[in-house]
Amino acid sequence: QALLLSARQAGAGLGELVLDLIPQRGLAQRPLDHLGRVLLVEPVGQAPGLEGLDATLTAYGTSGTVQIDTARFVWSWPHNFRERIAARRLSARAGGEQHALGLRVWADDLALDLEDATVRARLRLLLPDDAESGPLIDLGARITDGRVASARRYLPVSKFRPAALAWLDAAFRDGRVRDATLTLTGPLR
């Protein structure tokens, strides 16, 4: 069973979404599998947009996994990033599970081949049900063959003051990163 949705009206947000659905009965006992391709979803408000995502989703009641394997992928999030982020390849095994404390999200074997760097990473994220608590993250990434001048693309503008962004833009003017490790652990607030 295939489903094609198209909304090309101004401001609709959804350009084209193609899903090949393989539904199963009894969601809590059997998997619900979706093989899908997102051709274009425009950013809306503070939500990001994406283009060219190929993924297989398997859901079991309150948990699910997704296998991503995409040859060309573009992520657009004007609220956080000044430019669209294009990847020659994106692959990952990821998932989520509703837990007693909130939603646990994970990604293993994340491989992102960008125009100006290669990234390999793994992620653990807890999004607590408690509105008072902020998200908790455990991210480990290895960045190779990076262009320093492109760092401005990946700086979350919503998290920096304009003066800090201007200083970072001036600081990251040229050079290469042959091999770097990024570790981010703790609360995101």
Side-chain angles (χ1 to χ4, degrees), residues 111-130:
L112 188 58
D113 296 332
L114 301 165
E115 297 170 348
D116 41 30
T118 300
V119 180
R120 301 295 180 260
R122 69 121 194 93
L123 167 74
R124 301 291 181 266
L125 184 65
L126 175 63
L127 303 168
D129 288 335
D130 176 10

Side-chain angles (χ1 to χ4, degrees), residues 1-5 17-21 37:
Q1 177 181 12
L3 174 64
L4 171 64
L5 300 175
L17 173 64
V18 177
L19 295 174
D20 295 320
L21 302 178
R37 165 175 277 177

Side-chain angles (χ1 to χ4, degrees), residues 5-157:
L5 300 175
S6 181
R8 297 193 178 265
Q9 302 161 6
L14 178 64
E16 262 182 73
L17 173 64
V18 177
L19 295 174
D20 295 320
L21 302 178
I22 308 166
Q24 302 276 337
R25 295 185 192 268
L27 183 59
Q29 293 139 12
R30 293 189 204 155
L32 174 64
D33 293 330
H34 292 267
L35 170 63
R37 165 175 277 177
V38 176
L39 299 175
L40 174 64
V41 177
E42 293 293 335
V44 176
Q46 293 184 9
L50 52 93
E51 179 179 342
L53 179 67
D54 290 318
T56 302
L57 170 68
T58 303
Y60 297 91
T62 60
S63 67
T65 61
V66 64
Q67 181 71 43
I68 300 168
D69 192 8
T70 298
R72 186 181 130 346
F73 176 74
V74 178
W75 188 33
S76 178
W77 199 358
H79 176 73
N80 273 316
F81 299 101
R82 294 178 270 194
E83 298 178 28
R84 293 164 50 104
I85 297 172
R88 292 184 293 254
R89 181 150 192 87
L90 168 65
S91 64
R93 276 185 326 106
E97 173 184 31
Q98 188 61 45
H99 186 265
L101 298 175
L103 179 62
R104 287 195 295 190
V105 178
W106 57 269
D108 288 331
D109 307 321
L110 177 68
L112 188 58
D113 296 332
L114 301 165
E115 297 170 348
D116 41 30
T118 300
V119 180
R120 301 295 180 260
R122 69 121 194 93
L123 167 74
R124 301 291 181 266
L125 184 65
L126 175 63
L127 303 168
D129 288 335
D130 176 10
E132 304 275 324
S133 303
L136 296 172
I137 191 169
D138 182 11
L139 171 67
R142 181 175 181 200
I143 301 142
T144 56
D145 196 30
R147 287 187 17 214
V148 171
S150 297
R152 69 181 313 278
R153 290 181 177 179
Y154 308 102
L155 297 174
V157 296

